[in-house]
Amino acid sequence: MWLSKGPGGRDENQNTAVHEHKTGDSMKRALTTVFFMAAVTAVFIAALAAVNELSRSRIRMNTRIQELKSVMYAFDVMPGGMREDALPPNASTGDLPWNNADLIEIRSREFILRSVPVPDSLKPLLKNSFLTTGDSVLIWIRVDSSGMPSAYGFHLRGKGLWGTIEAFAAVNADLSAMTGIDFLSQVETPGLGARISEQEFKSYFRNLGLGRFSHTASGQDGISMVRKKDASNRQVQTHELQAITGATQTCDGVLDMLNTDLRFYLALLRGASGVMQAGTEFSE
Amino acid sequence: MEHISPWVLFFAAIFTGNILLTFFLGMCSFLSVSKQLKTALGLGLAVTFVLTITAALNWVVYYYILVPAGIEYLKYIVFIVVIAATVQLLEMFIERYSELLYINLGIFLPLITVNCAILGVSLFMVIRQYSFIQSVCFGAGSGLGWLLAILAMAGIRERLNEKKIPTALRGPGIALIITGIMAMAFIGFSGMVQIQ
Amino acid sequence: MPVSKSMQLLKDDLWKNNPVTVQILGICSTLAVTNIFLNTLIMGLGLTFVTAFSALTISLMRNVIPPRVRMMVQTLVISSYVVIVDISLRAYVPDISRALGPYVGLIITNCIIMGRMEAFASGNKPLLSLWDGVLSGIGYSWVLLVIAFVRELLGFGTVLGIQVMDPLIHGLGYTGGWVQWSFMIMAPGGFFMLALFIWIANSVSGHKLTHSGS
């Protein structure tokens, strides 16, 4: 079988040892071999570099569109004529039938990005989280037709079982409920933890109550998870999410991320009365 | 990602997220070399060893050569070359210095270059942004997890020889069913901590 | 290219000597994504592309490759095509590329490709090798597509992401909808489905097909 001999092969090493005295001939052959290998490698690498160069701008565009789709999902902005409850439970954000021009148009019409400075009093909260932002954080603001903010969005960062989980969350203007969440990147186990990116799990974030964050009884988490929820938070508002069976570590990670990061962001937004004025305009 | 303890990764890679039973990596040699305990042990040890070393080497190569040069897209080629070269060097080294080790481990080394678990661990390590220590622990854990799986499999298959199995299911068929049952058992590890 | 030989290859690669059911080769890189049909389809296409063009390239170079570096050149050729597949996926179907994660790269270590290079492409004419590569890829993909179809149908109740089990159950007059077999989405479902497929394939063909392991 072909497997029985590895690349290069053992017997050939012995060959070289035996024929060492016939230097002239074998030297020439070895040089040809090395030259051949180098030439083939150079040709293939050059071809790959060309392919990479040609697709670079397209891939960068894709990344931007992907982020916008997630932001829209978290803000509960659906592509025209789309009803969210028509989505199958395993749908991901990529399945939404957006067209790129609409995305970019809505982004510039309804959203403002602000870089908001973090006051010293909130620095300790930031330190407890996995957020990597320094002195200021980026806040997405959705404005209604009269120019008043209707929701705020921001990035979350936490750890799952296998690695970093990055998410984008949005809350309503009076900070009483979540508008939605989307997971930007995660590397959890397929079929288990990775199901946080599916519609079913994310649907419980819509209208999730944030009341527990404002009267901060110590030792009580702002959001908790239960094994089975009878109704969505849209129907009956609670501060509970439905966990994924068999993905304990991932769910704990998500919960931890929410409770630490939301505490920080909610405090920041509450403090900066009128975030619209507080921050400086941020252009991408 | 610096916040996950290397120890957690080490044990997670063995039990909750076994590289073979959860991620399907290294199936070919798992199915064809799991007929006897002794050979399974040899191959498993060789895989663990190579996995740990290549995870470390590929981490250094990726973060100190590929990233600074901006050629991350070539990682597949570079990783497989590093793995093939490591295996080749190890084979020559073992052959020269220890005949005993060569007979027990060396003969499995050529099989390892094509074991997808090795390349898989290097790719997972990059995608999950592990630090050096995390990568080494993840590599070692994955190797031990694979060893555990193939040992259990060989033990079961040795006892299967005399059993009555439908003709069409003999060989790989029954082996896959056993693997499935093992995978189910291993899923049990991920529910060890209850949510509320 | 000789017609009889091409036909023989067609029969061998698709059924009689199928890489998955008979040779049990190369399942690692793809079995993992068989819980969703579309992902499996894309992986299958990628693998077929890599196998076919690697076979063509190796066959074209077969008389000039120094024997000592044969395996190295093969690996280089295969991994180059895999990088091309990876870049194209990221450029044109980014969502699927994200879902496939590292498994695209693992096509390199898929034993089928190396096996076809060694057993066929390095000793046959270019066009015949290309044909063999395409067929091996298809022979491999169709088995996994059948598995993916069943896994997605039972696991999510969907076909290509469209809910079919719920309407079916309502149509039969039951309420409550389809209860997802989450077991099918997880790894054991993949193992059991492949075992079942091999069992059926061996039974249908009437005798136990030999495989490389025995």
Side-chain angles (χ1 to χ4, degrees):
Chain A
M1 219 175 88
W2 68 278
L3 281 173
S4 57
K5 226 171 96 200
R10 221 177 322 128
D11 11 328
E12 285 146 20
N13 296 331
Q14 283 156 3
N15 272 347
T16 21
V18 173
H19 297 299
E20 226 157 20
H21 53 283
K22 298 186 194 169
T23 30
D25 216 27
S26 65
M27 268 290 278
K28 203 177 148 201
R29 213 177 311 136
L31 271 178
T32 327
T33 308
V34 170
F35 180 75
F36 179 85
M37 201 58 218
V40 171
T41 312
V43 168
F44 275 92
I45 301 287
L48 291 180
V51 171
N52 183 61
E53 208 49 51
L54 285 174
S55 52
R56 187 185 294 254
S57 64
R58 213 192 147 89
I59 291 175
R60 198 174 298 145
M61 181 70 181
N62 284 339
T63 323
R64 198 174 123 78
I65 291 293
Q66 213 159 39
E67 197 199 354
L68 274 183
K69 275 187 185 177
S70 291
V71 167
M72 294 302 164
Y73 180 86
F75 275 107
D76 202 7
V77 181
M78 291 288 147
M82 178 83 202
R83 279 178 60 236
E84 192 185 1
D85 46 15
L87 287 172
N90 61 332
S92 66
T93 313
D95 298 336
L96 292 171
W98 277 107
N99 87 47
N100 296 354
D102 284 355
L103 267 179
I104 292 166
E105 195 263 330
I106 296 179
R107 150 77 181 87
S108 56
R109 177 160 47 88
E110 294 184 21
F111 291 90
I112 303 172
L113 256 79
R114 283 290 154 94
S115 169
V116 180
V118 180
D120 286 338
S121 58
L122 291 181
K123 289 259 166 77
L125 283 178
L126 193 59
K127 210 168 279 170
N128 287 335
S129 75
F130 293 125
L131 293 167
T132 46
T133 32
D135 290 332
S136 60
V137 290
L138 205 59
I139 303 283
W140 286 68
I141 303 161
R142 187 179 180 198
V143 290
D144 55 21
S145 48
S146 61
M148 290 303 288
S150 66
Y152 303 106
F154 35 79
H155 287 266
L156 308 178
R157 201 157 181 278
K159 63 164 188 172
L161 171 63
W162 294 111
T164 315
I165 295 178
E166 281 176 56
F168 185 87
V171 297
N172 63 8
D174 59 9
L175 312 180
S176 64
M178 255 179 104
T179 310
I181 198 168
D182 198 21
F183 295 91
L184 303 172
S185 79
Q186 50 97 356
V187 288
E188 300 307 294
T189 318
L192 287 170
R195 303 189 67 192
I196 56 172
S197 298
E198 290 175 9
Q199 173 63 21
E200 184 174 14
F201 181 73
K202 290 187 297 189
S203 67
Y204 290 99
F205 285 83
R206 299 260 188 247
N207 200 33
L208 177 70
L210 298 174
R212 280 214 203 162
F213 282 102
S214 49
H215 38 87
T216 41
S218 59
Q220 194 186 34
D221 281 338
I223 295 168
S224 47
M225 272 194 195
V226 292
R227 202 174 297 170
K228 179 89 187 105
K229 272 189 70 68
D230 299 323
S232 72
N233 286 316
R234 266 209 220 275
Q235 289 154 343
V236 184
Q237 192 188 51
T238 60
H239 54 266
E240 285 164 347
L241 297 166
Q242 181 172 300
I244 295 172
T245 320
T248 316
Q249 290 266 18
T250 308
C251 288
D252 283 353
V254 170
L255 205 55
D256 189 49
M257 167 178 85
L258 287 168
N259 283 323
T260 31
D261 290 3
L262 278 176
R263 175 146 301 171
F264 162 76
Y265 279 116
L266 291 176
L268 178 83
L269 290 170
R270 219 176 284 127
S273 55
V275 178
M276 304 287 284
Q277 288 81 39
T280 47
E281 177 93 35
F282 182 89
S283 59
E284 286 165 278
Chain B
M1 206 279 166
E2 63 282 12
H3 309 289
I4 299 175
S5 149
W7 278 111
V8 171
L9 276 181
F10 180 76
F11 286 109
I14 299 179
F15 297 111
T16 47
N18 188 289
I19 190 97
L20 185 112
L21 298 172
T22 314
F23 295 100
F24 300 93
L25 295 180
M27 286 293 295
C28 301
S29 27
F30 174 78
L31 287 177
S32 54
V33 196
S34 61
K35 292 192 183 98
Q36 285 178 330
L37 264 177
K38 198 170 169 293
T39 41
L41 180 68
L43 180 65
L45 286 176
V47 164
T48 311
F49 191 56
V50 174
L51 246 175
T52 317
I53 293 181
T54 52
L57 283 177
N58 279 338
W59 191 92
V60 173
V61 168
Y62 187 77
Y63 287 102
Y64 286 95
I65 298 176
L66 296 187
V67 173
I71 47 172
E72 293 98 326
Y73 63 95
L74 289 180
K75 62 176 181 285
Y76 299 137
I77 299 182
V78 175
F79 284 178
I80 197 84
V81 167
V82 168
I83 291 168
T86 311
V87 170
Q88 190 80 46
L89 277 176
L90 268 178
E91 197 184 355
M92 280 162 61
F93 188 81
I94 292 178
E95 189 183 16
R96 212 150 284 181
Y97 292 99
S98 162
E99 200 178 336
L100 186 74
L101 207 58
Y102 184 76
I103 293 167
N104 287 315
L105 274 188
I107 46 168
F108 297 110
L109 285 172
L111 273 172
I112 284 183
T113 314
V114 288
N115 186 326
C116 35
I118 315 277
L119 182 63
V121 162
S122 289
L123 293 179
F124 274 128
M125 154 193 108
V126 167
I127 288 184
R128 295 171 181 169
Q129 302 170 358
Y130 288 153
S131 71
F132 183 74
I133 302 291
Q134 282 175 327
S135 300
V136 174
C137 284
F138 177 63
S142 297
L144 284 176
W146 199 84
L147 171 69
L148 185 68
I150 196 171
L151 270 187
M153 187 68 186
I156 297 172
R157 278 182 100 166
E158 279 193 348
R159 281 166 183 73
L160 274 184
N161 287 336
E162 316 88 67
K163 299 286 181 287
K164 282 186 186 156
I165 298 162
T167 330
L169 205 55
R170 276 191 200 146
I174 193 73
L176 279 165
I177 291 185
I178 296 168
T179 316
I181 298 172
M182 277 164 61
M184 281 169 76
F186 271 62
I187 287 177
F189 286 116
S190 63
M192 299 254 286
V193 187
Q194 293 270 312
I195 309 169
Q196 298 200 335
Chain C
M1 81 181 113
V3 176
S4 62
K5 200 165 180 191
S6 315
M7 286 313 289
Q8 188 57 39
L9 278 177
L10 185 76
K11 242 194 276 173
D12 271 7
D13 288 343
L14 295 193
W15 179 253
K16 259 186 78 188
N17 203 19
N18 185 287
V20 179
T21 56
V22 182
Q23 305 178 46
I24 323 289
L25 280 181
I27 42 183
C28 11
S29 58
T30 307
L31 197 57
V33 296
T34 53
N35 54 3
I36 293 176
F37 187 84
L38 189 62
N39 292 355
T40 316
L41 185 68
I42 299 286
M43 269 299 269
L45 285 176
L47 185 118
T48 309
F49 170 84
V50 173
T51 320
F53 282 91
S54 304
L56 179 69
T57 316
I58 292 291
S59 177
L60 283 171
M61 292 161 73
R62 72 185 186 283
N63 294 326
V64 290
I65 302 177
R68 196 176 294 185
V69 290
R70 197 184 64 240
M71 290 285 240
M72 272 165 78
V73 174
Q74 284 171 2
T75 312
L76 180 73
V77 170
I78 295 170
S79 29
S80 302
Y81 282 113
V82 170
V83 175
I84 292 181
V85 168
D86 182 49
I87 294 180
S88 330
L89 288 184
R90 273 194 291 150
Y92 293 98
V93 278
D95 297 313
I96 292 177
S97 161
R98 223 154 61 128
L100 294 180
Y103 290 101
V104 177
L106 289 172
I107 293 178
I108 297 173
T109 48
N110 193 312
C111 334
I112 291 175
I113 309 183
M114 267 286 207
R116 287 332 283 171
M117 299 308 116
E118 278 289 286
F120 201 89
S122 50
N124 281 286
K125 291 215 170 74
L127 275 182
L128 203 60
S129 301
L130 180 73
W131 177 238
D132 177 67
V134 171
L135 288 180
S136 297
I138 296 175
Y140 172 83
S141 308
W142 82 260
V143 173
L144 292 167
L145 281 173
V146 171
I147 293 174
F149 182 82
V150 179
R151 284 183 77 186
E152 186 181 326
L153 186 68
L154 299 179
F156 294 112
T158 58
V159 172
L160 277 166
I162 298 158
Q163 188 57 251
V164 292
M165 289 309 247
D166 269 350
L168 186 73
I169 283 183
H170 291 307
L172 290 173
Y174 294 96
T175 51
W178 175 249
V179 178
Q180 300 185 359
W181 299 23
S182 29
F183 157 80
M184 266 296 160
I185 308 163
M186 294 192 270
F191 290 118
F192 286 139
M193 278 307 302
L194 184 57
L196 204 61
F197 193 96
I198 292 173
W199 192 0
I200 294 171
N202 282 343
S203 305
V204 169
S205 57
H207 61 286
K208 189 178 172 297
L209 303 161
T210 49
H211 70 97
S212 61
S214 64

